[in-house]
Amino acid sequence: MHEVEIIPVPTRILTEKDNIVDTIEKYTKDKITENDIISVAESVVAITQKRFVRPEDLKISKLALFCCRFIPDYGSLASPHGMQSLMDVEGKWRVAFALFLGFLGKLIGQNGLFYKWGGEQAALIDDVTGTMPPFDKCIVYGPQNPQEVVNKLKQRLRCFGAVIADVNDLKRSRIVGITDGTDGDTVAKLLLDNPFGNASQKTPIVIIKNFKQYQQSK
């Protein structure tokens, strides 16, 4: 079986002033081939799309204060600010109802109902400290039009495929956007060890070398 190689790509700090496709092309054009996958951290894509909010700009409701108590401490929605940011984009009553459904679901052995019914952003929001400085002081939403972004990346870089991934240090890997013909489950498993470095490492882009042959040989 063909072996893949995962190569983190160092960049400067990316901000809302950057175009994500242009920036990735700049840092990877001499490193990526038609056999490779380009993978980028979802929080970085969102930041370049200006999809973040400062906690001090949020008006915390009593409902958010109540609901955040039912989220595990390690979750981005466990803080009043994280919960309020979700309510602001998905609707407070939708979020509260989804949380109630999630509680009932756990009683009968069904997990994940809150994230199923609480809106797309329920699983994508990164609370403060969840991303790279200086945006570790911000709440970052999930990216907009991820499918459009990965399609543009594949076309521009002429690589085998492109993905936007939501990966953390808790061994959780979720594909947010992926080009056709790319095996998302395989990519997610390869990224489980979180090769992205959104903090001091400044490596929010990862190239998966030889992925085309690896996928075909599976």
Side-chain angles (χ1 to χ4, degrees), residues 8-215:
V9 180
T11 70
R12 57 177 170 74
I13 292 293
L14 304 184
T15 74
E16 69 275 19
K17 296 180 181 179
D18 290 296
N19 176 286
I20 192 63
V21 177
D22 292 344
T23 301
I24 291 176
E25 181 185 30
K26 172 184 174 182
Y27 284 102
T28 65
K29 62 182 179 180
D30 297 325
K31 301 180 177 71
I32 195 164
T33 74
E34 61 184 12
N35 297 313
D36 306 334
I37 289 282
I38 188 73
S39 179
V40 57
E42 54 91 22
S43 59
V44 174
V45 177
I47 286 167
T48 63
Q49 296 174 334
K50 304 179 183 178
R51 291 182 57 75
F52 57 88
V53 62
R54 303 184 193 284
E56 58 267 27
D57 293 334
L58 294 169
K59 184 177 180 181
I60 307 300
S61 65
K62 291 181 179 179
L63 187 60
L65 285 168
F66 175 75
C67 288
C68 71
R69 299 175 185 175
F70 298 93
I71 302 294
D73 290 342
Y74 56 80
S76 290
L77 305 178
S79 74
H81 294 92
M83 182 60 70
Q84 187 63 56
S85 67
L86 177 63
M87 290 181 169
D88 285 350
V89 295
E90 300 290 1
K92 63 180 182 180
W93 295 116
R94 175 181 183 173
V95 173
F97 183 63
L99 195 61
F100 179 66
L101 284 180
F103 173 73
L104 293 180
K106 287 183 178 181
L107 294 179
I108 59 173
Q110 290 191 19
N111 295 320
L113 292 183
F114 168 64
Y115 293 98
K116 179 179 180 180
W117 298 106
E120 179 186 30
Q121 293 299 319
L124 295 177
I125 286 175
D126 285 324
D127 200 357
V128 291
T129 74
T131 187
M132 72 170 87
F135 298 98
D136 57 343
K137 303 296 190 295
C138 297
I139 295 166
V140 180
Y141 295 105
Q144 191 171 38
N145 301 323
Q147 192 63 47
E148 180 180 329
V149 174
V150 293
N151 288 340
K152 286 182 178 179
L153 283 171
K154 178 179 179 178
Q155 181 181 29
R156 183 78 66 87
L157 299 174
R158 298 180 181 178
C159 53
F160 178 68
V163 301
I164 297 171
D166 179 15
V167 186
N168 61 35
D169 293 329
L170 300 174
K171 297 288 185 179
R172 294 179 180 176
S173 178
R174 180 173 183 264
I175 302 302
V176 179
I178 188 166
T179 49
D180 292 342
T182 305
D183 186 338
D185 290 339
T186 299
V187 175
K189 289 176 183 177
L190 289 171
L191 296 175
L192 268 179
D193 288 331
N194 194 11
F196 298 107
N198 293 347
S200 58
Q201 306 97 323
K202 295 194 286 292
T203 54
I205 304 166
V206 170
I207 297 173
I208 306 178
K209 301 291 290 183
N210 306 318
F211 184 86
K212 179 179 179 179
Q213 297 96 322
Y214 180 78
Q215 178 174 294

